[in-house]
Amino acid sequence: MISFLFAASRNNVIGYQNKMPWHLPEDLKFFKEKTTGNTIIMGRKTLESMNGALPNRRNVVLTRNKDLSFKNIELIHDISTVERWNEENPGIEYFIIGGEEVFKQALAIADRMYITKIDEDFPGDTFAPTFDQMEWELTKKEKGLKNEKNPYDYYFLQYDRKNKLV
């Protein structure tokens, strides 16, 4: 299964100047729970925003640059590689975590989206993928904990693609 995993503001921002413009520890906890022990796929800029590979995960960077190399990072150069892995390994969930360009490339092959939707507008220069609501079904919605450390209203949403050919 190919899944998107990201947080987005009400105005669809996912980043600003290569950082998230909010801090939500509960969302980071959700991210860690979902991805630990799994494969995360990202673009180079997303990797750079994280300052290196995340522990206890297979870290994969999708890049056109064949001269790059990073410690503890696997490089791929075409989204079709992810599609092939998915076909060869049914039952494994591959998490695409950003950024904007990788989401655009992978939207047609995604099966599921985990979106933390923050009910707040933020300045941004990187945006979540837009998708046709008719092709997706909202299958889970859970309100996130709001407190002094998580100061925004936000929701954990899960969308599954309708009529996915198996």
Side-chain angles (χ1 to χ4, degrees), residues 4-21:
F4 284 10
L5 179 59
F6 62 90
S9 66
R10 187 172 48 214
N11 58 332
N12 231 26
V13 167
I14 60 173
Y16 183 59
Q17 298 179 345
N18 216 23
K19 293 180 177 56
M20 286 189 295

Side-chain angles (χ1 to χ4, degrees), residues 111 113 131-140 158-163:
D111 303 294
M113 291 188 282
F131 58 95
D132 183 346
Q133 295 276 346
M134 298 301 293
E135 293 180 19
W136 295 87
E137 180 179 357
L138 179 62
T139 54
K140 286 185 186 174
Q158 178 180 314
Y159 287 91
D160 289 297
R161 189 180 291 277
K162 294 179 185 176
N163 305 319

Side-chain angles (χ1 to χ4, degrees), residues 62-129:
L62 174 63
T63 177
R64 289 184 286 275
N65 187 338
K66 296 188 191 285
D67 297 326
L68 286 178
S69 72
F70 299 99
K71 184 177 176 163
N72 301 317
I73 305 287
E74 185 177 339
L75 297 180
I76 60 172
H77 305 291
D78 193 302
I79 198 67
S80 65
T81 302
V82 177
E83 199 168 14
R84 188 182 78 245
W85 291 343
N86 189 47
E87 290 168 5
E88 293 170 353
N89 301 288
I92 291 181
E93 191 167 12
Y94 296 94
F95 290 92
I96 296 178
I97 63 167
E100 184 175 351
E101 289 304 314
V102 177
F103 287 137
K104 284 179 185 175
Q105 289 181 47
L107 184 59
I109 62 170
D111 303 294
R112 177 171 286 166
M113 291 188 282
Y114 300 99
I115 303 171
T116 302
K117 193 67 169 180
I118 304 162
D119 194 18
E120 197 76 34
D121 289 334
F122 290 91
D125 54 19
T126 311
F127 297 90

